[in-house]
Amino acid sequence: NVGVEQTLVRGRVWARAGLDERTWTTGLSLRARPVTVDVAYVYGVALSRIDDLFGRRNASLLSSLRVDL
């Protein structure tokens, strides 16, 4: 596993990219207190574990919403 993260706007916006086994990922986080939104694009979900069960070309867009109380 390898990845990088870069702060674009201190304390508010981050971009990231990485490789998890054979799965390429990229993502973005946005924070406007108390809310943080994370979005990730994942290409080749779990290829090293289940090969092409989800198809030879598969991609996912995942997101999360966090509210700090």
Side-chain angles (χ1 to χ4, degrees), residues 34-58:
V35 175
T36 303
V37 175
D38 295 304
V39 178
Y41 174 77
V42 182
Y43 181 79
V45 176
L47 285 176
S48 61
R49 291 190 180 85
I50 57 175
D51 202 29
D52 62 356
L53 180 66
F54 295 123
R56 291 214 175 270
R57 296 179 58 158
N58 64 75

Side-chain angles (χ1 to χ4, degrees), residues 2 7-8 21-22 27 34 41 45 49 51 59 64-66 68:
V2 64
T7 300
L8 302 177
E21 296 171 354
R22 291 170 45 195
Y41 174 77
V45 176
R49 291 190 180 85
D51 202 29
S64 67
L65 173 66
R66 185 178 77 214
D68 296 325

Side-chain angles (χ1 to χ4, degrees), residues 8-45:
L8 302 177
V9 178
R10 189 177 199 155
R12 298 214 180 258
V13 181
W14 300 265
R16 65 186 61 84
L19 175 66
D20 177 19
E21 296 171 354
R22 291 170 45 195
T23 302
W24 288 99
T25 64
T26 187
L28 186 69
S29 294
L30 305 168
R31 179 184 292 163
R33 291 194 188 263
V35 175
T36 303
V37 175
D38 295 304
V39 178
Y41 174 77
V42 182
Y43 181 79
V45 176

